Structures are given as C-alpha cells and as structure tokens.
Amino acid sequence: MQDEKGLLVVLSGPAGVGKGTVCRALREEDTDIQYSVSATTRQPREGETHGVNYFFKTKQEFEKMIEENRLLEWAKYVENYYGTPLDYVLDTVDEGKDIILEIEVQGARKVKDRYPDGVFIFLMPPSLAELRSRITERGTETEDLIDKRMTVAKEELEMMEQYDYVVENDKVGHAVERIRSIVTAEHCKRERLMEKYKQLVEVE
Ligand code: 5GP
C-alpha cells in the first residue's frame, strides 16, 4: 500500500488575529504536526530567536532566495519580506507528515496556485474592535504601524472567500479544537485515500 502524503495546512488571517498563539497551542497539543519556519527581513522582536520564530534575513539575502527559487511563496507585508522555504515543506509532506504554514493572505493565495491540494484555513477575529485591541496590546508597534496593520487587516478579511474553512478565534482552545477536527476530516477525504485503498477496492 502506498503511504499517504502529509497535509499542507495553511493558517491565514489578519495579523493580530492570533495565528501565532493558535499555532503554538496546536503544536503543543499535536506534536505530530510540523511547523514551517518562515524567512523575513523584519527585525526580531524581543524574545524571538533565529531559526525558531523566523529565519531573519537581510533584504539582499531574501532577494537571493527569491532568485534561486528557494521559496514556496513570498509576500511584501508592511514594508518587509516574508516567505516560506520550499524544501522543508515539500520534504515534510513527502515523508507523510502534516505541516502547517502560518502566513498572510497574499502568500496563501500563491500557495493555493502552486499547491491546490493544500488545506486553507482562515482564522477570523470575533470583531474589528477586538482585532485592534489585540494589535495594540502587543505593545510592540507604533500608532502609525497599528493603523497600517488595521488597513491591511480589513483588506485581508475580504479574502475569506478563497479559503476552505473559517475558524473564529474566540478562544484559543476552541480554535485549536476546530483546526484539529479539520485536519482529521481532511485525512478521511476519499480523494486522498483512493491510491491507498486502490488494491482493496480492486479485489474481486
Ligand atoms: P509578524 O511581523 O507579525 O510576525 O507577521 C506579519 C504577517 O506576516 C503575519 O500575518 C504573518 O502570518 C505573516 N507571515 C509570516 N510568515 C510568512 C511567510 O512565510 N509568508 C507570508 N506570505 N506571510 C508570512
């Protein structure tokens, strides 16, 4: 029997909605799911570590990765580059392991074009007011940057229709539970299992 490929799960939604928190909680509960560490040109925030939260790159280094086709997708977001290293993602799904990408919506659209088999989940804030307060609470951004992020967030919300699933992040635990249910259901999709059970079905 041929082994199933792992799932490429994209978790997207506006910055500040809690993608990072939800992803972290998901990884704590579900240690089987792999996580894609992105490359970025933005400065590390306090407590962030190279290779764990991001691969922090210079603009030149990032542009070289683009030229050499080493990114599955990339996007310019609030004046910085963000991108998903290609090899790790493809190797992981080929090994039959699930991987989650926590990325913004432009990048998610590019993944969908390149990898339509992916599972696309949109994390929804309970309200815009709640979203603004979450961005403000983080305390790492200036007023100007908060306004920019809110403008981007409103545009991002309109892209919801490109996703397979919408999960409201009212409580982290609820969101994680729903995402785990989605992953379980996706593994049971007939389309993904045809190859695996072909021999059984073909037996007279
Ligand atoms: P932050 O600067 O708050 O860490 O991230 C800003 C935005 O970039 C978030 O919406 C985050 O999900 C997104 N992001 C992080 N990594 C990637 C990536 O590899 N590709 C894309 N397209 N977006 C990313």
Side-chain angles (χ1 to χ4, degrees):
M1 268 189 208
Q2 186 175 326
D3 281 340
E4 248 183 283
K5 265 195 168 193
L7 296 176
L8 189 164
V9 181
V10 172
L11 183 66
S12 198
V17 71
K19 296 190 294 289
T21 313
V22 170
C23 246
R24 254 193 314 279
L26 178 69
R27 288 167 69 201
E28 273 167 24
E29 271 191 38
D30 191 339
T31 47
D32 287 341
I33 199 154
Q34 309 299 305
Y35 174 75
S36 159
V37 178
S38 298
T40 185
T41 57
R42 94 148 155 67
Q43 290 301 307
R45 295 190 184 118
E46 215 180 303
E48 284 184 334
T49 310
H50 180 80
V52 176
N53 306 92
Y54 282 105
F55 295 108
F56 295 101
K57 302 276 177 190
T58 62
K59 192 163 173 274
Q60 288 71 21
E61 287 169 338
F62 197 100
E63 284 169 351
K64 194 155 179 267
M65 290 180 85
I66 299 174
E67 268 166 41
E68 293 174 350
N69 198 22
R70 280 158 56 208
L71 297 171
L72 170 63
E73 60 74 37
W74 61 273
K76 207 158 191 192
Y77 181 88
V78 198
E79 290 156 25
N80 280 302
Y81 284 125
Y82 293 84
T84 306
L86 179 66
D87 286 354
Y88 183 67
V89 173
L90 296 187
D91 291 350
T92 305
V93 291
D94 281 346
E95 283 168 22
K97 294 183 197 149
D98 299 337
I99 186 161
I100 189 155
L101 277 55
E102 181 225 306
I103 62 178
E104 53 66 68
V105 291
Q106 305 167 62
R109 179 186 225 150
K110 289 191 207 161
V111 178
K112 194 160 187 174
D113 290 342
R114 207 159 164 188
Y115 202 94
D117 256 9
V119 180
F120 295 83
I121 305 176
F122 191 85
L123 200 61
M124 196 68 167
S127 69
L128 278 182
E130 177 63 28
L131 185 65
R132 191 179 178 95
S133 103
R134 286 183 195 176
I135 293 177
T136 312
E137 264 168 33
R138 187 147 69 190
T140 53
E141 325 288 19
T142 60
E143 264 312 302
D144 182 43
L145 208 52
I146 291 170
D147 286 340
K148 273 194 194 149
R149 283 187 183 252
M150 281 305 292
T151 308
V152 175
K154 285 178 198 161
E155 290 163 10
E156 286 176 329
L157 286 173
E158 288 168 21
M159 301 186 63
M160 187 182 93
E161 61 187 34
Q162 296 174 23
Y163 290 78
D164 303 312
Y165 298 94
V166 176
V167 169
E168 187 178 312
N169 187 20
D170 46 359
K171 288 214 172 82
V172 176
H174 288 168
V176 168
E177 204 178 294
R178 288 177 209 133
I179 293 169
R180 293 190 72 186
S181 306
I182 292 168
V183 169
T184 305
E186 283 289 332
H187 273 292
C188 300
K189 271 236 170 116
R190 180 186 47 77
E191 295 90 325
R192 297 192 196 278
L193 294 169
M194 288 300 276
E195 194 58 37
K196 183 173 179 184
Y197 291 117
K198 212 160 93 189
Q199 284 157 311
L200 275 181
V201 174
E202 279 169 4
V203 170
E204 297 280 305

